[in-house]
Amino acid sequence: MTRAVGCPASESLEAYLAGDSVEGVREHLEHCTACQTAIERLQREQARFLKEFPPQRFMARVEQHRRSLRPPVWQGIGAATLAIAAALAVIFVLPRNDSGPPPMALKGPTFVVLRKSASMSEPEPAGRERPLRPGDAVRFAYQAPRDGYVAVINRDGTGAVSAFVPFHGSDALPWKAGDQALPGAVELDDARGAEWMILIFSDRPFALAPILAQVQQTPLDRTPAVSCASCLVETLHLPKEP
Amino acid sequence: MADSLRELYERYGYLVFRRCHALLRHRADAEDAMQEVFMRADRYGRRHEGSTLSWLYTIATHVCFDAARRRGRAEPTAPSHLTLVDARSEGTADDGDVRALVGRALRELDPVTCEMGVLHHLGGFTQEEVAERTGYSRKTVGRKLEAFDAVLRQRTEVLS
């Protein structure tokens, strides 16, 4: 990508236009007519865009989309919810298609995925008997063996990989041994096929990009491979039905 | 919450739409993707250091990456029209061709390589700046951008 010497990246100019604090851009614009011209063009295009797609229209589409999904009211994970998970004690996992090791069965609520649909009053642990469904709100609970850092990576049935905890984050979350409910809830889309939920715990901070790459590079018919130094990895393969 | 979403859209809506359109090359898909970006941003809140636009662009890359893989639809574009469909007309004509093809690479490469390709070709960051932003070494960034560019070259050859 060609860029004049001394000029900031186009993304930096765009961030400046939007009002973000971007070091050095204001000073640069004082003496660079090319970048000033670029900013002015972006301003004109932005004004045209907001005239064609005004905020009221956008908000109306958002409300329409939300009504169509009927998002569940999440009551929050409390001790009662984890008690349900504890009572179940075993989380079932789909058998794999390859000739590898037998399916995993985790005992005890170390890593739990809780699902809640619009029609449910209480969340329940997801599993073979309780498949995930499109539109479900899922939350995660994890009992760490000690203080450290945690992340949850998802690979859906189409192979799309993303960080669920922290959501679209770049680094693992600090996590205390006594904490249980991971922050945030994720609403599942309509991608078909079972969902892999992969929890990674480490004593040390770690970036998510290398983990995402490893999961992405694992063939779809294989268990996502995650390898990181001094990490604990717990993997759940959860069925998903329409 | 609705007021903050509206404010977010007013400030960043055009730029996010523009990025989604650059990646998906389809207006209606870009509008859907843009909406999804803001809904995710509003739902989950910001947990990202740095500029808000960079955070939204990261979400946009992921949304568009997922959409491109699910869509699996190829939109043939003749080479002579590539620069015309580019949203920005910045840099050289070759830069415009590259930007027009960036979205094609989303279906064929892993998220890390795609993110680097997007930062470099759409964000305008140098390889050093991409390394700084992603935490990878300059050498790794160079290697991954070579892979990204190889896909772009392959696409250009298919179209020519």
Side-chain angles (χ1 to χ4, degrees):
Chain A
M1 170 72 184
T2 54
R3 176 172 134 192
V5 173
C7 287
S10 54
E11 187 171 311
S12 299
L13 289 181
E14 291 156 15
Y16 176 83
L17 170 73
D20 289 354
S21 172
V22 188
E23 191 178 335
V25 171
R26 183 191 298 190
E27 294 78 8
H28 177 80
L29 287 173
E30 287 172 2
H31 61 266
C32 180
T33 52
C35 288
Q36 284 170 17
T37 303
I39 288 274
E40 286 162 8
R41 186 175 65 242
L42 285 172
Q43 285 170 332
R44 286 194 299 274
E45 290 169 359
Q46 182 179 46
R48 253 198 314 269
F49 172 83
L50 289 175
K51 201 171 173 185
E52 185 179 350
F53 298 101
Q56 307 88 288
R57 178 178 181 273
F58 170 74
M59 294 304 294
R61 278 173 57 106
V62 166
E63 282 311 307
Q64 186 181 31
H65 180 71
R66 282 176 176 158
R67 277 198 300 271
S68 72
L69 289 179
R70 291 195 302 275
V73 175
W74 189 268
Q75 299 300 320
I77 294 180
T81 304
L82 283 176
I84 293 172
L88 290 174
V90 176
I91 297 170
F92 294 100
V93 176
L94 271 185
R96 288 174 9 204
N97 292 328
D98 62 9
S99 56
M104 297 184 293
L106 302 176
K107 290 194 174 178
T110 50
F111 175 38
V112 176
V113 177
L114 292 146
R115 65 169 290 265
K116 188 174 184 296
S117 70
S119 60
M120 293 165 60
S121 57
E122 290 293 331
E124 64 181 14
R128 181 182 290 172
E129 304 299 324
R130 298 173 181 81
L132 298 171
R133 299 193 189 278
D136 277 359
V138 293
R139 291 194 70 162
F140 308 95
Y142 178 61
Q143 293 185 358
R146 52 195 172 273
D147 292 355
Y149 297 82
V150 71
V152 176
I153 304 298
N154 166 260
R155 188 177 80 181
D156 72 15
T158 70
V161 177
S162 48
F164 273 7
V165 178
F167 187 72
H168 286 304
S170 53
D171 298 288
L173 277 182
W175 196 243
K176 292 201 173 301
D179 292 343
Q180 291 176 334
L182 290 165
V186 180
E187 189 171 301
L188 297 182
D189 61 18
D190 58 358
R192 294 186 175 184
E195 303 265 348
W196 287 97
M197 303 291 187
I198 307 153
L199 181 131
I200 304 104
F201 174 83
S202 173
D203 295 335
R204 291 172 290 194
F206 59 94
L208 299 192
I211 308 284
L212 291 167
Q214 287 180 41
V215 175
Q216 181 66 30
Q217 285 158 14
T218 308
L220 273 182
D221 60 346
R222 299 276 167 170
T223 301
V226 173
S227 168
C228 63
S230 307
C231 286
L232 298 176
V233 179
E234 298 199 29
T235 305
L236 297 176
H237 195 203
L238 299 170
K240 188 178 183 186
E241 294 177 5
Chain B
M1 188 75 76
D3 283 345
S4 66
L5 177 58
R6 185 188 175 112
E7 285 164 10
L8 213 59
Y9 174 78
E10 285 173 347
R11 269 177 80 175
Y12 302 100
Y14 164 62
L15 295 168
V16 170
F17 172 81
R18 193 161 163 270
R19 177 57 64 91
C20 292
H21 187 267
L23 292 171
L24 296 174
R25 313 308 295 182
H26 188 273
R27 196 171 182 81
D29 288 354
E31 193 176 353
D32 289 344
M34 175 199 66
Q35 180 179 305
E36 178 64 21
V37 168
F38 284 108
M39 289 183 66
R40 289 190 190 186
D42 182 57
R43 193 183 307 149
Y44 302 115
R46 178 161 172 199
R47 295 185 184 91
H48 183 81
E49 297 296 323
S51 86
T52 300
L53 182 64
S54 294
W55 174 61
L56 291 171
Y57 275 172
T58 299
I59 300 176
T61 299
H62 295 162
V63 168
C64 293
F65 181 78
D66 292 347
R69 288 177 67 90
R70 278 199 292 272
R71 189 174 70 185
R73 174 176 63 203
E75 293 156 39
T77 307
S80 61
H81 296 140
L82 283 174
T83 52
L84 293 178
V85 302
D86 181 76
R88 278 186 295 180
S89 304
E90 287 173 12
T92 67
D94 285 345
D95 291 336
D97 289 349
V98 167
R99 285 196 296 269
L101 286 169
V102 163
R104 303 281 191 271
L106 295 187
R107 288 195 290 275
E108 302 184 32
L109 293 164
D110 63 275
V112 173
T113 305
C114 285
E115 185 180 356
M116 290 184 184
V118 169
L119 283 172
H120 183 61
H121 290 298
L122 294 187
F125 293 105
T126 63
Q127 291 194 13
E128 288 79 10
E129 289 167 336
V130 172
E132 195 180 314
R133 290 172 74 93
T134 61
Y136 283 89
S137 69
R138 163 73 175 76
K139 190 177 173 184
T140 299
V141 169
R143 190 167 39 83
K144 289 200 173 282
L145 285 178
E146 271 178 31
F148 192 93
D149 290 351
V151 170
L152 296 186
R153 276 195 299 275
Q154 194 181 50
R155 283 286 176 179
T156 308
E157 285 162 8
V158 166
L159 290 173
S160 63

